[in-house]
Amino acid sequence: GGPPLASSRMRLDLWLRWCTQVGLDPLQVRRPHVEIWLRSLEDQNLASATRAAKFGVVHLFYKYAVVDEITDRDPTENVTRPKVHEGEQKRTWLPTLDSVALLDAAIKAGPREHVFVVLLGQMALRVGEMCALNTDSVRHNQGWRTIVFRGKGGDTFERVVPVQALRDLDRLIDGCTDMPLIRNTRGDRMDRAAADRLLHRLTRVAGITRPITPHGLRRSVATNMLAQGLPLRDVQLQLRHADPRMTMRYDQGKNSLGRAAVLPYASAQYGMLNAD
């Protein structure tokens, strides 16, 4: 997750440029100045999601400026973050048929591509977690092949690898120890930018036209698991969310009329009626 570094730099540059235009030293900014800046963004009719993203970068700038003792105050600390309306959030994800098409393209492309899609699009690892994996991250436990990795906050997690991916996982490891598991075309550890490029190549081959990001595959896992009727608790555990409300936020199909609870409930009742 998180905005790309280039986008963050651009947003921070816009803030610094605004400070220069109004004659402010960025390190002497106070809370009212930040609120005036936010109102200026609102006057430009920018979407709330755009304003929130710009504010987020500025907030991080001052947070770390305080940590590094460049300044002794964070002027954004008590500023209300722009509320993002759910309808404005551009969350990428793939429905089940597109996910299957992506998996098919990955299998045909080779072991690296297959394991790449399984890690992100079935096991729901974050892209940074996937990039950090080594060949010795693959373990045996209770008769299963698993991946052990560090998640957010430094906690260690273990997740089962789908059996259908084991042959290509072994081909990818190829007897190597202490090597990056997912490597770029030069054989070095894959980074986020290379992961994004690989995903876009696979989506083109698969004929997928909707936009998708590596984190969007994680969102797709939650959406499609819930659409298939898996319990919310199981999906929450797979995605490692502390709060089930976060898992529900990932569910892009929750407003689908085809998933209305009344449909299976009514079908069951009519089925019992007809059985009589």
Side-chain angles (χ1 to χ4, degrees):
L5 184 59
S7 298
S8 298
R9 286 175 174 168
M10 182 178 66
R11 289 164 181 161
L12 182 58
D13 183 62
L14 290 173
W15 160 252
L16 298 175
R17 194 179 307 168
W18 181 85
C19 289
T20 300
Q21 289 173 350
V22 298
L24 284 173
D25 180 343
L27 297 181
Q28 300 299 319
V29 164
R30 299 293 183 267
R31 177 181 55 79
H33 299 135
V34 179
E35 292 177 340
I36 291 171
W37 169 67
L38 284 175
R39 282 199 295 272
S40 75
L41 297 181
E42 194 170 357
D43 291 341
Q44 297 172 37
N45 293 321
L46 296 178
S48 60
T50 301
R51 289 185 277 119
K54 291 177 181 293
F55 175 79
V57 170
V58 173
H59 171 65
L60 284 177
F61 169 74
Y62 285 107
K63 174 184 175 181
Y64 287 110
V66 171
V67 169
D68 294 338
E69 299 181 349
I70 297 172
T71 182
D72 60 356
R73 60 171 60 87
D74 176 1
T76 69
E77 186 175 7
N78 294 311
V79 175
T80 301
R81 179 185 292 267
K83 183 176 181 180
V84 181
H85 304 294
E86 187 169 357
E88 293 184 11
Q89 296 179 346
K90 297 179 179 178
R91 297 187 174 123
T92 64
W93 68 286
L94 295 180
T96 298
L97 291 179
D98 281 347
S99 295
V100 171
L102 177 65
L103 179 62
D104 182 55
I107 292 171
K108 292 174 180 175
R112 180 188 68 149
E113 290 79 2
H114 184 191
V115 175
F116 171 89
V117 168
V118 167
L119 291 169
L120 296 178
Q122 292 187 351
M123 298 174 64
L125 268 68
R126 297 179 177 90
V127 63
E129 296 165 349
M130 180 207 69
C131 292
L133 294 175
N134 291 325
T135 50
D136 59 6
S137 302
V138 182
R139 311 284 176 83
H140 288 83
N141 190 359
Q142 300 177 29
W144 297 95
R145 296 290 292 282
T146 65
I147 295 285
V148 176
F149 59 96
R150 289 191 179 275
K152 271 189 175 181
D155 294 330
T156 300
F157 297 93
E158 185 173 22
R159 290 294 181 269
V160 173
V161 180
V163 294
Q164 296 86 345
L166 293 183
R167 177 181 293 183
D168 275 345
L169 179 63
D170 287 336
R171 289 174 176 169
L172 188 63
I173 296 174
D174 194 26
C176 296
T177 58
D178 197 27
M179 290 271 295
L181 181 62
I182 306 296
R183 299 179 287 276
N184 60 24
T185 54
R186 297 187 303 275
D188 300 323
R189 184 180 302 279
M190 181 171 285
D191 59 17
R192 293 170 183 262
D196 195 59
R197 290 193 296 269
L198 176 56
L199 177 57
H200 281 112
R201 285 199 298 271
L202 290 173
T203 55
R204 284 198 300 270
V205 171
I208 297 169
T209 56
R210 63 167 58 214
I212 186 64
T213 64
H215 195 73
L217 293 184
R218 178 173 163 84
R219 197 175 293 117
S220 304
V221 172
T223 301
N224 295 323
M225 281 185 171
L226 290 170
Q228 291 171 15
L230 272 69
L232 174 60
R233 178 62 176 167
D234 291 349
V235 180
Q236 176 192 348
L237 290 173
Q238 182 65 40
L239 271 74
R240 295 164 280 123
H241 287 152
D243 191 328
R245 289 175 294 183
M246 176 58 74
T247 309
M248 290 302 298
R249 284 182 59 189
Y250 271 54
D251 183 10
Q252 301 303 294
K254 57 182 175 288
N255 295 322
S256 170
L257 294 179
R259 282 173 58 182
V262 66
L263 298 178
Y265 177 71
S267 293
Q269 288 200 333
Y270 280 111
M272 288 185 286
L273 180 66
N274 293 333
D276 294 337

